Amino acid sequence: MKLPSRVKLVDVGPRDGLQNEKAPVPAAVKIELVHRLQDAGLTEIEVTSFVSPKWVPQMADAAEVMAGIRRKPGVRYSVLTPNMKGFEAAVAPARALWPDEIVVFGAASEAFSQRNINCSIAESIERFRPVVQAAKAANIYVRGAISCAVGCPYEGEVAPERVALVARLMKDIGVQHIGVADTIGVGTPVKVQRAMEAALQHYDLNDVSGHFHDTYGQALVNTLVCLQMGVWQFDTSSAGLGGCPYAKGATGNVATEDVVYLLQGMGIETGIDLEKLIDAGKFISDFLARKPNSRAATALLNQRAN
């Protein structure tokens, strides 16, 4: 077993983590969170989502947030663009305010796809073709996410063949990187390994990542099994922010703090300062008036207090 010597983490807290918060989070707070994350050493941050404010009110300030970020050299800022309207909004301002990367997504579950966007998996991916073409023409990197890669709130377990299908379709439209996402956090190591192997049928090891929610407390072991496969890129969320609006009880993405603690303990380099990262998670958690949903952060904050 050859573990990676270095791992890249994409903190999705500002977007995936905050999008389901009911109370408005001001743009200034979101911007400060991004600044704190990059100051902690994060080089990949998913900042916001250019979606209809009717469907995701929390992301209505996407342009304001992107304009307010103090950009740091070496940091890649990504945004979710679910359609051409979203992409056009993302690139409407001056070039200096454009995202470095866009994210598109497709479900590996037919039921999820039909229930939420009223079309098949294949149709949903095909809708992204013009978005991907426009992004690449503008020299913007394109990352794709395969949601519900191991389980679906409507149809239960998802077969690895479905993951392979979405990966192939994403590859066909020009998506450069694919993330295998356990959106509702029901995955266990063997299931996650099979889903990742399915994605690897169409993408190189350097072009895949894991995205694991922690609903059943399996996100860290699912991360570990992927590390053992050689996967070296993962999505995580500061303070464990987030959840899935379509799966009652689903928690946020695995906490960035917990993954960094795990990796440091394994001697794997991340370039992230854990203490500064904990401060970033505490900042947003304090604003939301709750404790960080990270065991490592909780333990280390308790140590500080004592």
Side-chain angles (χ1 to χ4, degrees):
M1 177 182 70
K2 184 168 171 54
L3 294 167
S5 60
R6 184 179 179 87
V7 159
K8 183 175 76 178
L9 300 181
V10 180
D11 198 299
V12 300
R15 198 282 300 176
D16 200 11
L18 293 178
Q19 68 177 2
N20 295 316
E21 291 291 331
K22 298 289 184 255
V25 178
V29 172
K30 295 171 182 171
I31 292 165
E32 178 65 15
L33 175 58
V34 171
H35 289 166
R36 285 174 178 255
L37 291 172
Q38 64 187 21
D39 289 346
L42 268 300
T43 58
E44 301 266 349
I45 303 171
E46 195 170 289
V47 178
T48 188
S49 181
F50 284 86
V51 291
S52 167
K54 176 184 175 183
W55 300 113
V56 190
Q58 190 64 256
M59 297 289 112
D61 58 2
E64 182 183 355
V65 172
M66 288 298 287
I69 292 168
R70 180 187 72 248
R71 300 212 177 192
K72 193 171 183 177
V75 177
R76 184 153 63 174
Y77 304 91
S78 60
V79 302
L80 194 75
T81 55
N83 48 43
M84 273 306 293
K85 189 174 181 181
F87 176 77
E88 288 164 357
V91 297
R95 176 89 204 204
L97 303 181
W98 288 10
D100 303 300
E101 174 184 86
I102 64 158
V103 184
V104 297
F105 59 91
S109 157
E110 283 290 359
F112 194 91
S113 189
Q114 289 289 354
R115 187 76 67 96
N116 293 301
I117 50 178
N118 200 32
C119 68
S120 69
I121 290 172
E123 288 169 333
S124 74
I125 305 300
E126 190 57 33
R127 289 179 183 180
F128 287 124
R129 187 182 292 276
V131 180
V132 174
Q133 290 174 341
K136 292 174 80 172
N139 201 30
I140 295 173
Y141 193 81
V142 182
R143 177 160 54 96
I146 305 176
S147 61
C148 297
V150 291
C152 166
Y154 308 122
E155 67 179 54
E157 197 164 326
V158 172
E161 290 77 17
R162 293 286 182 84
V163 177
L165 167 66
V166 179
R168 178 175 62 78
L169 294 171
M170 288 276 195
K171 190 80 170 178
D172 286 348
I173 65 167
V175 172
Q176 294 158 283
H177 176 106
I178 202 75
V180 175
D182 181 13
T183 316
I184 60 173
V186 296
T188 49
V190 171
K191 292 177 183 178
V192 165
Q193 181 176 341
R194 288 171 180 160
M196 189 61 75
E197 287 169 347
L200 286 166
Q201 292 175 25
H202 301 283
Y203 280 85
D204 184 80
L205 187 61
N206 291 322
D207 298 321
V208 298
S209 55
H211 177 116
F212 307 125
H213 288 242
D214 204 31
T215 312
Y216 288 86
Q218 303 295 297
L220 281 178
V221 291
N222 291 337
T223 300
L224 178 59
V225 77
C226 290
L227 286 168
Q228 292 170 336
M229 297 173 69
V231 175
W232 58 277
Q233 300 176 79
F234 298 91
D235 295 349
T236 59
S237 178
S238 174
L241 295 171
C244 177
Y246 309 112
K248 195 173 181 181
T251 63
N253 206 299
V254 63
T256 309
E257 299 91 328
D258 293 350
V259 175
V260 171
Y261 183 84
L262 169 74
L263 295 170
Q264 285 185 354
M266 298 172 72
I268 297 173
E269 179 59 43
T270 63
I272 296 169
D273 183 319
L274 182 55
E275 293 296 332
K276 287 184 178 180
L277 178 63
I278 287 169
D279 290 340
K282 187 175 186 303
F283 162 75
I284 191 62
S285 298
D286 285 348
F287 176 82
L288 297 171
R290 57 176 179 261
K291 293 180 179 178
N293 191 23
S294 158
R295 291 189 178 185
T298 299
L300 292 167
L301 286 169
N302 285 340
Q303 279 185 26
R304 284 186 192 176
N306 293 329

